[in-house]
Amino acid sequence: MVRVIAIGLLFGLGAVSRVHAQSPLYGQCGGTGWTGATTCVAGATCTYSNPYYSQCLPGAASGTTATTTNPTTTTSSGSTPTSAAKLSHVGVNIAGFDFGCGTDGTCTTSMATSPLNHDGAAQMQHFVNDDGFNTFRLPVGWQFLTGNSQSGTLNQANFNQYNSLVSACLATGASCIVDIHNYARYNGAIIGQGGPSNAVFASLWSSLAAKFASQPKVIFGIMNEPHDVPDINAWATSVQAAVTAIRNAGATSQIILLPGNNWTSAQTFVSNGSGAALLKVTNPDGSTTNLVFDVHKYLDSDNSGTNAECVTNNIQSSWQPLAQWLRTNKRQAFNTETGGGNTASCIQYLCQQIAYQAQNADVFLGYVGWSAGSFDPTTYVLSEVPTRSGSGWTDTSLVKSCVAPSSGSQSGSTGM
Ligand SMILES: *[C@@H]1O[C@H](CO)[C@@H](O)[C@H](O)[C@H]1NC(C)=O
Ligand SMILES: *[C@@H]1O[C@H](CO)[C@@H](O)[C@H](O)[C@H]1NC(C)=O
């Protein structure tokens, strides 16, 4: 293990002197606006992926140059990235307090598992210090927070446990997303549409926002993955109730994440009407400052985020049309769940997705990988749980190659 760390250091040092000479394996090597290296390290071939992205993939030829010609893509105004800045928020989900929650909005609270009992605080410190992450998403079930009461009154003991995780997150200097992981439901019934009233949902957010009002780095994730919500406009009214409650509780300036229907699919956010409905949600002063759309996207064959292999980078189907819509509407989105198995296909496609998001950082805040925290790294197919090795840590191959800012996936360089 010590030997591995030493070799990693040598590579890192070596890369500094030739950072623009050759892109690393899985690094970017071409595409619209790309100004970095266009050749790959030995053993990798620069491979055209789309007009925006060529990537160093494992293959015989070394020193191959990308096809830099941009095939017939005419960029109309409104579809051109206006900024090539780095993503502002790149992170990992620290799951555990959501364990036991089902997609029908039931939660077996005895199954909630604090990531702090699974080295979660140290995981976050490692992710910040060694990998360059600056955001964590902290899922929790509604039922856990209120002690199985369909209300907005927090159960003090349970909230204290969750708050310990938020505090450990804030102590790293990162932004921390408070995520209610209930799929727009409480025990099977949809908020505002047969389930808890909007007033009850708003009171939950009022209680939470009051606790975190003085923390500028807390981000409020109103709801994880609403799905099969029959009336999207009614859902937008529920979201509005939560936003108003958060602002009126004194959290006047923090980022709030607005989730659409269909599991917050980035692909159908616009086409299925979520975008149009959520555009109407505003702050109490009528502005939309720091109201950011929440979108998820996995890369496997059935969009579920349960398969080890990836089949798409989602650029043509999802990120490109969404970026254009966001620019047209002068809004931003945050991809708070994405990921894949620790496989070559996921490394290839997720690196492509991340590079595209970074090229469109004017409309995308960033992404949060799923997932570290309380998962068992030896059995969970989408594990991003780092493991201790001696005095250091070993990341999963997907984190090391793509998810971590230090992988260079945002820029195609080594990032060291
Ligand atoms: C939900 O989104 C997926 C892609 O993420 C899409 O394949 C599916 O058709 C969508 N379903 C609905 C009801 O819009
Ligand atoms: C969203 O998708 C569902 C299921 O396909 C469909 O019934 C509904 O009409 C769609 N809504 C909009 C606004 O497109």
Side-chain angles (χ1 to χ4, degrees):
M1 291 307 172
V2 171
R3 202 167 57 108
V4 171
I5 291 163
I7 289 168
L9 266 175
L10 285 177
F11 271 118
L13 292 171
V16 172
S17 58
R18 50 185 178 82
V19 65
H20 287 301
Q22 291 184 314
S23 277
L25 187 61
Y26 299 112
Q28 187 176 0
C29 53
T32 305
W34 175 245
T35 57
T38 54
T39 60
C40 299
V41 294
T45 306
C46 189
T47 308
Y48 176 85
S49 168
N50 59 57
Y52 306 95
Y53 198 69
S54 295
Q55 184 182 32
C56 296
L57 297 178
S62 75
T64 319
T65 305
T67 308
T68 47
T69 44
N70 184 353
T72 63
T73 311
T74 38
T75 43
S76 59
S77 71
S79 69
T80 313
T82 56
S83 130
K86 280 207 171 181
L87 298 166
S88 63
H89 290 80
V90 175
V92 184
N93 279 272
I94 304 295
F97 277 118
D98 56 312
F99 286 8
C101 292
T103 57
D104 60 353
T106 55
C107 293
T108 306
T109 52
S110 59
M111 288 174 71
T113 307
S114 175
L116 296 180
N117 297 333
H118 290 262
D119 233 359
Q123 286 183 31
M124 290 189 283
Q125 281 292 351
H126 153 68
F127 281 137
V128 169
N129 297 344
D130 302 333
D131 293 336
F133 287 105
N134 67 2
T135 304
F136 299 104
R137 181 168 178 261
L138 313 173
V140 62
W142 181 346
Q143 287 88 338
F144 182 81
L145 288 172
T146 60
N148 284 311
S149 142
Q150 186 180 303
S151 74
T153 306
L154 300 174
N155 175 287
Q156 197 58 51
N158 286 3
F159 174 75
N160 288 348
Q161 280 192 57
Y162 180 69
N163 193 30
S164 297
L165 181 66
V166 178
S167 299
C169 175
L170 290 170
T172 69
S175 294
C176 308
I177 304 172
V178 173
D179 159 49
I180 306 293
H181 216 74
N182 276 66
Y183 305 88
R185 289 161 171 78
Y186 190 101
N187 291 356
I190 297 176
I191 296 163
Q193 302 183 45
S197 67
N198 289 344
V200 167
F201 184 50
S203 76
L204 173 69
W205 273 114
S206 181
S207 300
L208 287 168
K211 299 282 189 188
F212 300 120
S214 65
Q215 297 289 352
K217 289 203 165 176
V218 166
I219 295 174
F220 301 103
I222 285 185
M223 182 53 63
N224 178 68
E225 297 189 350
H227 66 89
D228 302 292
V229 173
D231 185 338
I232 189 62
N233 290 306
W235 171 246
T237 305
S238 303
V239 172
Q240 178 67 70
V243 169
T244 302
I246 290 167
R247 295 300 188 221
N248 288 346
T252 54
S253 61
Q254 288 92 336
I255 293 170
I256 303 179
L257 302 177
L258 315 182
N261 210 346
N262 193 20
W263 317 86
T264 51
S265 164
Q267 186 171 337
T268 59
F269 182 79
V270 175
S271 64
N272 204 233
S274 294
L278 293 174
L279 273 177
K280 297 177 196 142
V281 176
T282 65
N283 292 309
D285 67 2
S287 75
T288 57
T289 308
N290 284 335
L291 301 184
V292 172
F293 302 117
D294 196 356
V295 290
H296 291 181
K297 200 77 184 81
Y298 286 93
L299 302 85
D300 48 353
S301 56
D302 60 0
N303 279 307
S304 65
T306 58
N307 302 291
E309 299 292 341
C310 294
V311 300
T312 175
N313 58 29
N314 297 311
I315 293 173
Q316 302 289 344
S317 68
S318 306
W319 301 115
Q320 199 178 336
L322 180 59
Q324 185 159 354
W325 182 90
L326 290 165
R327 232 166 252 131
T328 301
N329 288 286
K330 300 188 165 48
R331 296 296 293 271
Q332 292 182 308
F334 192 172
N335 177 201
T336 62
E337 273 191 35
T338 191
N342 290 292
T343 55
S345 62
C346 289
I347 290 172
Q348 175 182 336
Y349 288 121
L350 186 57
C351 279
Q352 293 173 4
Q353 173 176 293
I354 288 170
Y356 183 82
Q357 292 175 335
Q359 287 161 14
N360 293 270
D362 59 319
V363 287
F364 297 129
L365 260 63
Y367 60 90
V368 187
W370 183 271
S371 178
S374 299
F375 283 109
D376 177 352
T378 63
T379 58
Y380 183 51
V381 68
L382 262 57
S383 175
E384 295 183 359
V385 179
T387 47
R388 282 190 186 269
S389 49
S391 58
W393 291 84
T394 300
D395 282 311
T396 65
S397 62
L398 190 64
V399 167
K400 214 175 333 191
S401 309
C402 289
V403 185
S406 60
S407 71
S409 56
Q410 286 190 55
S411 62
S413 78
T414 61
M416 300 292 288

